[in-house]
Amino acid sequence: MLEMVKAYTETLVKSLLKVEQVITDDDGDIPIRYKSALYYIRVVDADPDEPIVQIFAVAVADIKESDELLKALNDINARLHFARAFLVREQVLIEVEIPGAALSMGAFSTSCDAVARAADHFGVELAKRFGGRTAFEDSKDDSYRSPGASTAGYL
């Protein structure tokens, strides 16, 4: 089942990004850039019969835990749909998990979009308030606008 879900996930990535080949990093994750964010797609063998597709981003790295940050994450989670934000090892992660057996283009596309937009928007917001860094914050110029409801900016 794991290999089948991995193969199908790669097919979905190719279709979503309109590419012929999927590039993976040293961990086997598929990295994808979206504006100031970098999100990843990973198939996890949590249970041999039920692999999970994780779509996640490090929205902010090198961020220190504080009561104010945890309150901000709670507020973000109250606003997010399909995803969750949490702090782990001085990183704010945005993540969605999809059971491999339930994987479809609709669920996959919606999940990628939710993680990418949330990491781009909230990562910048949190870094400004609490410090830390986003993956590509330095690449924004004066023409950058926060993504609107209909923006689809995959590379």
Side-chain angles (χ1 to χ4, degrees):
M1 179 81 160
L2 178 66
E3 292 309 314
M4 183 175 73
V5 171
K6 282 184 178 181
Y8 186 49
T9 300
E10 284 194 17
T11 298
L12 293 175
V13 170
K14 288 176 185 177
S15 178
L16 187 66
L17 301 179
K18 297 175 179 42
V19 296
E20 295 292 320
Q21 183 178 358
V22 173
I23 307 296
T24 59
D25 64 14
D26 293 339
D27 296 324
D29 300 335
I30 302 168
I32 301 171
R33 182 176 178 171
Y34 178 87
K35 301 192 184 222
S36 69
L38 180 64
Y39 70 98
Y40 299 87
I41 299 164
R42 171 187 294 166
V43 179
V44 179
D45 190 11
D47 176 323
D49 296 324
E50 296 185 36
I52 296 170
V53 178
Q54 290 180 330
I55 302 162
F56 66 96
V58 177
V60 185
D62 302 325
I63 191 167
K64 301 295 181 198
E65 182 175 342
S66 69
D67 288 342
E68 293 79 23
L69 174 60
L70 296 176
K71 287 177 188 174
L73 291 177
N74 191 49
D75 290 341
I76 289 169
N77 281 318
R79 296 167 49 193
L80 283 178
H81 300 285
F82 309 110
R84 65 181 178 269
F86 55 96
L87 180 68
V88 62
R89 292 185 297 249
E90 297 187 344
Q91 300 175 99
V92 172
L93 300 181
I94 309 284
E95 182 177 88
V96 170
E97 293 179 338
I98 306 169
L103 191 60
S104 68
M105 179 51 103
F108 184 73
S109 176
T110 298
S111 298
C112 287
D113 191 54
V115 169
R117 289 172 186 268
D120 176 60
H121 177 76
F122 293 116
V124 172
E125 185 179 289
L126 290 170
K128 284 181 183 174
R129 285 181 63 193
F130 301 104
R133 60 181 171 76
T134 61
F136 298 106
E137 179 61 21
D138 60 338
S139 67
K140 290 183 179 180
D141 60 20
D142 292 337
S143 66
Y144 177 81
R145 291 181 297 125
S146 183
S150 62
T151 304
Y154 298 100
L155 293 177

